[in-house]
Amino acid sequence: MNHINRRKAATLFVITALFASILAIPTATQAAVTPFATNPGKIVFDYSHGQESSSGTVVALDAALEANLTAMGFDVVWARGGINATILTDAVAFVAGSIYGAGNGYLAAEITAIEEWFNAGNKFMWIGYDSDFTSAPDQGQWNNDNMTLILEAVGSHVYGEPAAVEDPISSCGSGYRVVANTTTTNPDLGAFVQGVTQVMMHGPTLLYGSEEAAWNTSAVALETTDIDNVYPLLYYGANATVCNGDIIDPIAHDEGDVGSFVATTLELKAGTDGSSALVVSGASPYGDYRPMYADLYYNVTMDGYNFVKNTIKYGVFAATATQGEGKIVFDYSHGQKSSSGTVAALDAGLRTALFLKGYTTYWAMGGINSTILEDAVAFIAGSIYGAGNGYLAAEITAIGEWFNAGNKFMWIGYDSDFTSAPDQGQWNNDNMTLILDEVGSQVYGEPAAIEDPVSSCGSGYRVIANTTSDDAFVADLVVGVTQVMMHGPTLLYGVNTTGSFDLETNTFTNVYPVLYYGANATVCNGDLTDPIAHDEGDVGSFVAMTLEVNAGTAGTGLLVVSGASPYGDYRPMYADLYYGNEMDGYNLVLNTIDFGIANAAVVPGFVLDTTTLLIIGGVAVVIIIIIVVIIKKR
């Protein structure tokens, strides 16, 4: 080989090495994240078509609704001058109770404005009907026809019957003041009806479905027929009776029918682009003679205010949250399921939120095996609780084989080692360690406890982790995260072939700390086993949660380890309030699940994102210049 050829060979070697280094850059397809209940946006209530009441009691109820929604972060607007594109600008939600009074119908331009706003996508709308009762032959139905105009414009699959519902048993002093007393039993929708037992439905109608998304077309009774993406949320009682208040007959029911008819529905994937959420109810959630929000009427106590707040909260979330897909298995088999009503409600909220985001969740009650994990993209296990609730060897094997097959996401939560028995607490955590050992984790929970006298909920062991990572790689996980409940937690440490080390001062390949305790966090020892990479009495901002990429034997899994449980427990990381302390761990949990599943499901191989393409382009220019210079020097 002559000198020139040697130079050419050297140039090709440089080019090859440069491209090899480019393609070796680790990349991740990071899913966009929409925080839950963080600045949810503007919500417009229609007061322009007779919905505003002159009753002092109803005015007070509407004011209370506004105050509650404002506290939830919404910007509440009461539209009194008509509905148009301007007032709907930047709104994420529009709520319209049934119109009232001749001459108060919607203009064609208003219907068009609502239609265009909703069908643009990622919007929530609630349309309330009323009964067809009126002193004029068709005045009641004329009111409801106006609500139907809106629903037809957006392709709704649910409409109000041209009828009325009365109930001689479940009512407030008179049959037309109906109290709806039955809620959905669908566990994926549990958060909508949390705290809901009785809802005021004043002079209401019932609902029917349209398989062709048009009024009086392919009409079906929703009590007996399912329509894709339509979910009944609220039902009338068993004695509800269909009445006819004008000259138009009911469509999917018959006058005189008695039963638990559908009073409120949720439709997902609504609108022309399939990204919006639509609620239809047989009465008005606000305004009216007495709205669904009412708490008391004729000495009957109700909790419809919970239903209205829940429905708006989760309806907006359904319309605006980042969508995912896949089956997630939560372990409820080893003592993680709580008997606390508050924690059960938090788990219900997590389940509903994940359902609305497009996931399927399975809450495993009878142990973990390959059948349960089949087709799952994620497995999440909070720390076990209680003697005798340890994992069987077969369960550990099933989890390991599932995760090590590749492209899976797993989250393992620890707990402190505090216990009334000498080593019971560490025995709990040792069970979580068995899982991590099986998949070759680089991160483990310390046989220790964390307490914090400053950042906590009334007592040092109810720790609030208040510091998030500033590493850009995990930025999506901590969007909207400031304070996270870590009830009776431990801290984490890392291992490699040379030993065990703290994660505060040492780095591990593919391991990214996500969440830290506050500066006053203190390492405590609750049993006979000493901490491994820390010392009892150490004080500082210790690592509370990590993300490990390229995990498992296939090198394509994502693994999260946390010092507390994301669900269940005494209070999970998902908690929003404890001892008066507001927290936003729900954002961390949802963000992490989105990120983990989106990235674990990526087919193995490099991803040429914008940054990588720019790097390749820049290096390519340099390579061309080098080649030109070499050729000119020949």
Side-chain angles (χ1 to χ4, degrees):
M1 183 183 292
N2 61 30
H3 179 64
I4 298 243
N5 285 336
R6 282 197 300 272
R7 290 171 65 183
K8 288 181 178 179
T11 301
L12 289 173
F13 175 79
V14 170
I15 293 171
T16 302
L18 283 169
F19 270 97
S21 66
I22 292 168
L23 299 184
I25 296 172
T27 61
T29 306
Q30 298 189 16
V33 173
T34 301
F36 184 38
T38 301
N39 301 321
K42 172 180 164 183
I43 179 167
V44 175
F45 286 86
D46 187 6
Y47 259 180
S48 303
H49 301 88
Q51 298 100 333
E52 185 170 15
S53 175
S54 58
S55 161
T57 300
V58 176
V59 169
L61 287 168
D62 284 359
L65 173 58
E66 177 178 358
N68 275 285
L69 293 174
T70 300
M72 292 163 62
F74 287 102
D75 176 18
V76 178
V77 174
W78 300 90
R80 290 181 168 87
I83 305 300
N84 53 50
T86 300
I87 201 162
L88 292 173
T89 298
D90 299 326
V92 297
F94 173 66
V95 184
S98 176
I99 71 168
Y100 183 73
N104 277 329
Y106 286 91
L107 301 176
E110 293 180 298
I111 300 294
T112 299
I114 296 168
E115 173 189 5
E116 292 177 349
W117 166 82
F118 187 78
N119 285 333
N122 300 115
K123 302 298 192 298
F124 169 68
M125 183 162 67
W126 186 338
I127 299 299
Y129 274 85
D130 200 30
S131 75
D132 65 351
F133 178 81
T134 179
S135 55
D138 273 326
Q139 185 64 49
Q141 191 52 40
W142 182 82
N143 289 345
N144 282 344
D145 283 347
N146 268 266
M147 313 317 292
T148 295
L149 288 174
I150 298 174
L151 294 177
E152 280 201 299
V154 301
S156 174
H157 288 82
V158 178
Y159 297 88
E161 281 277 25
V165 167
E166 295 191 7
D167 191 320
I169 306 297
S170 185
S171 53
C172 297
S174 186
Y176 70 90
R177 305 185 193 115
V178 183
V179 177
N181 60 10
T182 305
T183 58
T184 178
T185 57
N186 184 338
D188 288 328
L189 301 169
F192 282 89
V193 295
Q194 195 69 47
V196 179
T197 59
Q198 298 199 124
V199 180
M200 176 84 263
M201 304 290 286
H202 192 286
T205 189
L206 66 162
L207 308 180
Y208 73 92
S210 167
E211 294 176 329
E212 295 185 20
W215 183 81
N216 199 10
T217 304
S218 300
V220 296
L222 291 169
E223 301 79 42
T224 57
T225 304
D226 294 332
I227 294 178
D228 287 346
N229 300 314
V230 171
Y231 303 91
L233 297 177
L234 183 68
Y235 298 81
Y236 298 107
N239 296 284
T241 304
V242 178
C243 304
N244 194 9
D246 62 7
I247 60 175
I248 301 175
D249 292 330
I251 295 171
H253 300 82
D254 293 316
E255 184 176 359
D257 283 351
V258 177
S260 189
F261 305 110
V262 174
T264 305
T265 58
L266 166 70
E267 182 173 349
L268 299 177
K269 299 181 180 179
T272 54
D273 80 340
S275 67
S276 292
L278 176 62
V279 167
V280 181
S281 57
S284 297
Y286 67 97
D288 205 351
Y289 284 95
R290 280 296 185 280
M292 296 170 70
Y293 191 81
D295 59 341
L296 183 69
Y297 198 38
Y298 281 85
N299 297 317
V300 177
T301 301
M302 294 165 286
D303 40 37
Y305 48 84
N306 284 332
F307 183 67
V308 173
K309 290 188 296 181
N310 292 347
T311 300
I312 291 173
K313 173 183 177 180
Y314 285 96
V316 170
F317 179 75
T320 60
T322 304
Q323 293 295 296
E325 61 179 347
K327 173 184 170 183
I328 306 170
V329 175
F330 286 84
D331 188 6
Y332 256 1
S333 303
H334 300 88
Q336 298 99 335
K337 185 176 182 180
S338 175
S339 59
S340 160
T342 300
V343 176
L346 288 167
D347 284 359
L350 174 57
R351 179 170 185 159
T352 294
L354 291 171
F355 170 74
L356 296 175
K357 289 169 71 62
Y359 297 110
T360 299
T361 62
Y362 182 89
W363 300 74
M365 298 284 289
I368 305 299
N369 54 52
S370 59
T371 301
I372 286 172
L373 292 172
E374 187 177 5
D375 300 327
V377 296
F379 172 66
I380 303 178
S383 176
I384 72 167
Y385 183 73
N389 277 329
Y391 287 92
L392 301 175
E395 292 180 299
I396 300 295
T397 298
I399 295 168
E401 290 177 349
W402 167 83
F403 187 78
N404 288 328
N407 301 108
K408 303 296 193 301
F409 168 64
M410 183 162 69
W411 185 337
I412 300 298
Y414 276 84
D415 199 27
S416 75
D417 64 351
F418 178 80
T419 180
S420 54
D423 269 328
Q424 183 65 48
Q426 191 52 39
W427 182 83
N428 290 345
N429 281 343
D430 284 346
N431 268 266
M432 313 317 293
T433 295
L434 289 173
I435 298 174
L436 295 177
D437 273 338
E438 190 75 8
V439 301
S441 175
Q442 298 184 79
V443 178
Y444 296 86
E446 281 275 25
I450 287 290
E451 295 192 7
D452 191 321
V454 178
S455 185
S456 53
C457 298
S459 187
Y461 67 91
R462 304 185 194 117
V463 184
I464 298 175
N466 59 10
T467 306
T468 57
S469 173
D470 58 4
D471 190 315
F473 186 79
V474 297
D476 280 350
L477 278 69
V478 297
V479 174
V481 179
T482 59
Q483 297 199 128
V484 180
M485 176 84 263
M486 305 290 286
H487 192 286
T490 189
L491 67 163
L492 308 180
Y493 71 97
V495 299
N496 58 28
T497 56
T498 62
S500 302
F501 305 92
D502 69 77
L503 291 165
E504 294 77 46
T505 60
N506 297 279
T507 58
F508 291 77
T509 303
N510 295 323
V511 173
Y512 299 86
V514 175
L515 181 69
Y516 297 82
Y517 297 107
N520 296 284
T522 304
V523 178
C524 305
N525 193 11
D527 63 5
L528 303 177
T529 307
D530 291 331
I532 295 172
H534 301 82
D535 292 316
E536 184 176 1
D538 284 351
V539 177
S541 188
F542 304 109
V543 174
M545 174 176 159
T546 58
L547 168 72
E548 182 176 347
V549 300
N550 302 327
T553 55
T556 58
L558 270 79
L559 176 61
V560 167
V561 181
S562 56
S565 297
Y567 67 98
D569 205 353
Y570 284 95
R571 281 296 185 281
M573 296 170 68
Y574 192 79
D576 59 343
L577 183 70
Y578 197 38
Y579 280 85
N581 294 273
E582 294 184 355
M583 293 165 287
D584 40 36
Y586 45 82
N587 280 331
L588 178 66
V589 173
L590 293 174
N591 293 347
T592 300
I593 291 172
D594 278 343
F595 183 97
I597 291 176
N599 288 287
V602 173
V603 176
F606 63 89
V607 179
L608 295 181
D609 57 17
T610 303
T611 302
T612 305
L613 287 171
L614 289 173
I615 294 172
I616 292 175
V619 173
V621 172
V622 173
I623 291 170
I624 292 170
I625 293 172
I626 291 172
I627 294 172
V628 171
V629 170
I630 290 173
I631 292 173
K632 285 185 176 181
K633 288 184 177 181
R634 287 192 303 171

